[in-house]
Amino acid sequence: MVRGSSVPVSAFDPEKELKLTMLLTADKESLVHPPEDVAMTLVVTNTSNVDCKKVAITHAGVAVETIDLLTAGQSVTLKREFTVSQAGQFRFTATTKDTVGN
């Protein structure tokens, strides 16, 4: 007999699940003489049925923007210029917490 063992179980309402989408576009796809500035447009959309608060947008672990409130179905457009000096990929991340802190 084993005592004190536990199994974590999560329960959630799929109607309250947070879902975000992001669409990134840039004003140029290649650089002729780096370093060059590249204008990036990021559209963040709340595709869930609930509001999202404090949506943190980061790139490579660096804070880009925090959206205080993104209501259900709402989109926010962020425009930023970045100086690009070498080949690579831009990957933005959006993070937030649901009503139970997940």
Side-chain angles (χ1 to χ4, degrees):
M1 182 161 127
V2 176
R3 291 185 182 189
S5 62
S6 64
V7 175
V9 176
S10 296
F12 66 95
D13 181 347
E15 289 297 313
K16 295 181 180 176
E17 182 179 15
L18 296 179
K19 298 177 198 167
L20 300 173
T21 61
M22 295 191 302
L23 175 64
L24 176 65
T25 56
D27 70 338
K28 52 183 95 169
E29 294 182 9
S30 60
L31 306 178
V32 179
H33 302 290
E36 291 182 35
D37 289 340
V38 178
M40 305 253 182
T41 302
L42 179 65
V43 180
V44 183
T45 304
N46 178 356
T47 59
S48 54
N49 295 321
V50 295
D51 296 347
C52 295
K53 295 179 181 177
K54 304 283 185 202
V55 180
I57 308 299
T58 59
H59 166 62
V62 176
V64 174
E65 179 83 24
T66 297
I67 303 168
D68 290 327
L69 177 64
L70 196 56
T71 60
Q74 181 185 10
S75 294
V76 170
T77 300
L78 307 173
K79 295 184 179 196
R80 298 286 184 277
E81 280 200 6
F82 295 91
T83 301
V84 179
S85 59
Q86 61 187 23
Q89 295 182 347
F90 273 78
R91 181 181 201 139
F92 290 88
T93 304
T95 55
T96 188
K97 292 191 178 194
D98 62 16
T99 56
V100 294
N102 292 321

